[in-house]
Structures are given as structure tokens and as C-alpha cells.
Amino acid sequence: MTRADRPAKTPRTTGWFRTKSIEQSIQDTDEPDTKLRKELGSWDLTVFGVAVSVGAGIFTLTARTAGNVAGPAVSLAFVLAAIACGLAALCYAEFASTVPVAGSAYTFSYAAFGEFIAWIIGWDLILEFGLAAAVVAKAWSLYLGDLLGTAAPVLEIGSLNFDWGALLIVVVLTVLIASGTKLSSRVSLVITAIKVIVVLFVVVLGAFYIKVANYDPYIPPSEPGSTGEGLHQSLLSFVTGAAGSTFGWYGLLAAASLVFFAFIGFDVVATTAEETKEPQKALPRGILGSLAIVTVLYVAVTLVLTGMVKYTDLAGDSSTLATAFELNGLTWAKNIISFGALAGLTTVVMVLMLGQTRVLFAMSRDGLVPRALARTGKKGTPVRTTILVGVIVGLLAAFVPLGTLEEMVNIGTLFAFVLVSAGVLVLRRTRPDLQRGFRVPWVPLVPILAVLACLWLMLNLSVETWLRFLVWMAAGVVIYVVYSRRHSVMGMREAEKVRVEKSEH
């Protein structure tokens, strides 16, 4: 008897770790009041993945990471991050093609590990997408100010700074997302085409100004005592007693963890599984295709960037992709790059908000957050959830000085990747009978390598990031105990089953 012929293990149906079967998850998608419309194909998903990746990372993060953390080796940092993402992407592709249900890692974890772990990862994804969308909306506002030739569009209201530019983009995109996923995809396609053209312009023009001497040293010597001390140093350097995480090999590893922010696109692609036509084929193509495209673009841009200027000229918090062109006297190119950045950040905010609405929608359908949020409108979109996400992200972006929180986004994403990769091994064992549209090759080697790679990147994030993450997770445990466990649809079904069995006896 082959592994695929073995009977499925009976899922756990009681307690914190009760699992939700794949069949039940798919069955729940047919409820009329909470049904999403299937409109997306492989091309739409690839566009979404590229749309969210080619944005904040490529226009701002690349320059800052090169100048402050890794030097010219930032291009190698992107390759290391891409390898980790590629391993996790294979696992996502198998899960998404097997469980074509909204919610991404949350839904996958519900099937593999049980309700409590699913809640924790859902809570984690809320943090990831919400913070990322708000931070990128504020970056969008800064670029809007650059294009208008003014300061950032911010008004002072008493002691508060009201960033109306950030709020504007969030409001517009909330309306767009509520209008339908297919419309969002079409708008994303147009804007993504614009920013990819700008990125190619950067690579082609910048290549003429590369000076080979700027690549020396490729991995700059470590500079202990600069920015990698105390709670600001990576957890790895803190545990091992290393001098810091600025330049050198520790800097390279820390840079790989930082630039990981640029690869969260395929994670968002998986959240749209329920709205995909032929998910068994389209989801793997969208996930792996978008990852391949953005990896090539990132490595090309970083090689050009660090070849145009010495990495030391990119130090500081204000360096962007346009800095290298200004230093080479190409000031006319700044506006083109700023326009591309504005377009790029627009789609990043949109797709991040789309991802968060789908995760929250899946959690509300399961009763872990109020069920009323799972209602879908006439166009088959979760309008209530979309409005709630828009309000929260808009308030954060408009009034809260978020600063640079890429690391918080990164640790949340990596945690999700670890669970998804491990979940592939669990479901291969517990449900070998499932029809899988895509199968991860070389199991268990690839999932194990994905887990180890993501854990390694997590170790290279700062100690303060870990502390903030643990506080957020602790708050999530409290909410689960106080509310979610009591209102769980699975829990109610479990209680009803017990009542029926008692009445029969």
C-alpha cells in the first residue's frame, strides 16, 4: 500500500489543538453569506506578488541596508534571503494548491496544528500586514511631497501631526479593494507595469556609471560599536557575544534578515487562494513566478546601486535609490525614480491591505473574531472587513509616528514561514490521501531546510524586535482565552455534537 493510499488520521476535535479538516475548510467557502467570488488567474497572482515586492524595499531599503549594514554585499544578502524564501515558497505552493481557502498560513495551520496555533499565526499576520501597510503609506506620503516639491503633506493639529497624504492613499485603496478583487488586480497590473519600467530604467542607466572600485571591499570589515549594541544588536550576536552586526559577516547575515522585507509578496498571494480559478495550477505559478521575477530585479538593482557610488555615501536613514543618481549628477533622473516609487508604494499598500482583509475574513468566518466581519457584499468581497482594516491602517498611518518597523514585519513573516514549512511535513503524514496540485520535491529535506533557513534569519533580527514580538504574541494568547476559544465555530460544533450524543443515550 502506497503512502497516498493510507487512510487519513482522525483529526483532533477537542481542546485548544482541535484541527479543522481540509474538507470542512473548503465546505465553509460555499456559505452564501460569506462566499468570495473566484476571479483570479495565474497572471493576476503573479502581478499581486510583484506588486507588493517591488516597492518599499527596492526604492528605500536597498540603499539604507548597503550604507549602514552590509556594504556592496547587500546583493549577496538578497540572494541569501531569496534562497530562504524559495524554500518556503515551495511549501506555500503545496499548501495553497491543496487548501484553496482564504487565510494563507492561518488556514494552513488550522489544518496541520490546530486552532490555538492557527489563532497565534493569524494574530501574527494581522501584525505583519497592518504595520507594513501603515509604514509604506507614510513612505508614499513622503514621495508625494517630493513630487509636489514641498515638505511631506502633514498638518499640525495641536500636539498631533496629521499625515493627510498617508490617509488619502489608504482611503482610496480601501474603496478600490471593497469594489472587487478583479478590479484591484487590473489597477495593480497597470501600476506594476509602470514601476517595473522605472526599475529597468534604473538598471540600464545606472549600469553606465558603475565603477568597479566601488565594489572593493565587497564585504566591508566589521565595525563594532556603531549600530549593533545592546538591544539593537541581532539576537545571534547577543547570544554569541559578537561585537555587533554592522558590516562583516554578521552584517551580511543581519542584512539578509532586513531585506527579507522585500520578499513578502508570495505570502500575500496565498491569501487570495479562495478567489482563484483553478487554484491547483494558478497558485504555484503565481507564488513561484513572482518570487523569481523580484529576485532578479533586486539583485540587478543592488549591483548597480553599489557600483555607482561608494557604500559609505549611502550611510544614514535618508538614503534612497535616487541618492546614487544625485551623487553622479543625474538630478533629472530623481523625479522619474520618485514617480516610480510613488507608483510602487501604491500597489504595496493595496496588496498588503488586501492580504490583511483576507486573513481577518478567514478568522471571522471561524468565529475567532466577530462573525459579523465575514459578511460579503453583492460583489463577493468582505466589505465590512475591508472597511475595518482601512480605518485601522488609516489611523495608524495618519497619526502614529511609526518610523521604520521593517524588522517587526520580518519576524512575523518568518514565523509564518516556519509554521507553513513544518505544516507540509505534518499534512504529508496525517493526510497522505489529499489531492495536491503541487508537491514539494525532496520531502522532508526541502521543508526542513526552509524551517532552518527562516529560523536562522529570525536569529539575525534585533533583540528589541524579539521582545516586541513576544509582547504581541502574549496579548494574542490573552485574547484567545478570553474571547476566541469561547466563540470558535469549531468549538460550537464540538459542543453541539456532545449534546446530541448525550441526548441519544
Side-chain angles (χ1 to χ4, degrees), residues 339-373:
F339 177 74
L342 197 66
L345 298 178
T346 299
T347 55
V348 173
V349 178
M350 183 182 72
V351 181
L352 286 171
M353 289 177 62
L354 178 70
Q356 187 172 34
T357 60
R358 293 331 185 241
V359 172
L360 200 56
F361 167 79
M363 295 173 73
S364 63
R365 188 162 58 188
D366 291 330
L368 302 188
V369 295
R371 284 270 292 171
L373 294 175

Side-chain angles (χ1 to χ4, degrees), residues 194-218:
I194 293 172
K195 65 181 178 181
V196 169
I197 289 172
V198 172
V199 169
L200 294 175
F201 162 79
V202 167
V203 172
V204 173
L205 179 63
F208 289 100
Y209 294 86
I210 290 177
K211 304 175 185 66
V212 177
N214 289 332
Y215 293 127
D216 186 30
Y218 184 68

Side-chain angles (χ1 to χ4, degrees), residues 78 137 158 337 357 446 455 470:
F78 272 106
I337 295 173
T357 60
V446 169
L455 287 175
L470 292 175

Side-chain angles (χ1 to χ4, degrees), residues 1-12 22 94-95 98 111-113 420-434 436 439 443-444 447:
M1 183 171 60
T2 65
R3 177 176 291 272
D5 295 327
R6 295 176 189 172
K9 293 190 176 182
T10 303
R12 295 183 298 273
I22 307 300
E94 174 166 319
F95 248 128
T98 308
F113 301 109
V420 168
S421 301
V424 167
L425 295 176
V426 173
L427 270 195
R428 283 285 187 100
R429 183 173 181 80
T430 59
R431 294 299 308 273
D433 57 306
L434 286 174
R436 291 166 168 83
R439 297 179 69 89
V443 171

Side-chain angles (χ1 to χ4, degrees), residues 137 140-141 164-174 345-346 349 353:
W140 186 93
S141 182
W164 63 264
L167 181 61
L168 173 65
I169 188 61
V170 171
V171 169
V172 171
L173 294 178
T174 299
L345 298 178
T346 299
V349 178
M353 289 177 62

Side-chain angles (χ1 to χ4, degrees), residues 20 25 28-37 101-103 106-107 122 126 271-272 274-275 353-377 380-386 388-389:
K20 185 177 182 181
S25 293
D28 287 347
T29 66
D30 291 327
E31 294 181 10
D33 292 338
T34 61
K35 188 179 181 65
L36 296 173
R37 184 176 296 176
V101 178
Y106 160 76
T107 302
I126 289 173
T271 67
T272 64
E274 194 173 324
E275 297 158 272
M353 289 177 62
L354 178 70
Q356 187 172 34
T357 60
R358 293 331 185 241
V359 172
L360 200 56
F361 167 79
M363 295 173 73
S364 63
R365 188 162 58 188
D366 291 330
L368 302 188
V369 295
R371 284 270 292 171
L373 294 175
R375 295 281 183 181
T376 51
T381 57
V383 177
R384 294 180 182 181
T385 306
T386 302
L388 176 62
V389 168

